[in-house]
Amino acid sequence: MPQLILGVLAQSILLTLTQFFLKLGVKNIGHIEWSWEYWKTIFLNWQISLSGICGIGALAIWVTLLKKHDFSLVYPLTAISYILGVAIAYFFLHESVPLTRWIGVIIIMIGVYFIVK
């Protein structure tokens, strides 16, 4: 069980970092265009590239988790990434997070606890 929890935590961290770096990267890009120059800008943006690397890492861990554990156990545990996402939004992106969202995070944490038990 500790190996499962560590795997899910690592996968959730990488999944959250994927979205975090994507958010940082798209903030620096102008309006969407369907041109080669636009796509070159996307692929040369270091935040978006790092987002892709984190996403590939999350996928590799996810494949390993699915191979070793029941989907009905592993998939709900990925809700940990929601908790991490709200925390990153608040602490690093300085977004306003209302009380209702924090309550939702607490409910998710309670749900994750029951899934593990």
Side-chain angles (χ1 to χ4, degrees):
M1 185 64 84
Q3 186 179 16
L4 169 64
I5 299 300
L6 288 175
V8 169
L9 187 58
Q11 194 266 349
S12 294
I13 289 169
L14 284 173
L15 195 60
T16 305
L17 287 174
T18 299
Q19 300 305 318
F20 172 68
F21 287 120
L22 186 61
K23 172 71 174 174
L24 291 179
V26 297
K27 282 176 35 176
N28 299 328
I29 295 174
H31 63 282
I32 297 174
E33 295 177 19
W34 294 100
S35 67
W36 289 112
E37 192 61 34
Y38 174 77
W39 288 105
K40 187 173 96 175
T41 304
I42 293 277
F43 288 114
L44 293 178
N45 181 298
W46 72 269
Q47 292 106 334
I48 293 176
S49 296
L50 192 53
S51 171
I53 291 167
C54 289
I56 291 169
L59 176 63
I61 293 171
W62 181 242
V63 168
T64 303
L65 290 169
L66 287 177
K67 178 92 172 144
K68 294 181 178 182
H69 303 283
D70 291 341
F71 183 76
S72 63
L73 173 63
V74 177
Y75 187 71
L77 290 177
T78 62
I80 293 170
S81 63
Y82 297 136
I83 299 163
L84 298 172
V86 172
I88 282 178
Y90 181 77
F91 291 109
F92 294 101
L93 297 174
H94 308 290
E95 294 180 4
S96 174
V97 180
L99 178 61
T100 53
R101 228 170 274 159
W102 287 115
I103 292 169
V105 166
I106 291 168
I107 292 169
I108 290 170
M109 290 171 66
I110 292 168
V112 167
Y113 171 79
F114 281 116
I115 289 167
V116 173
K117 288 292 174 186

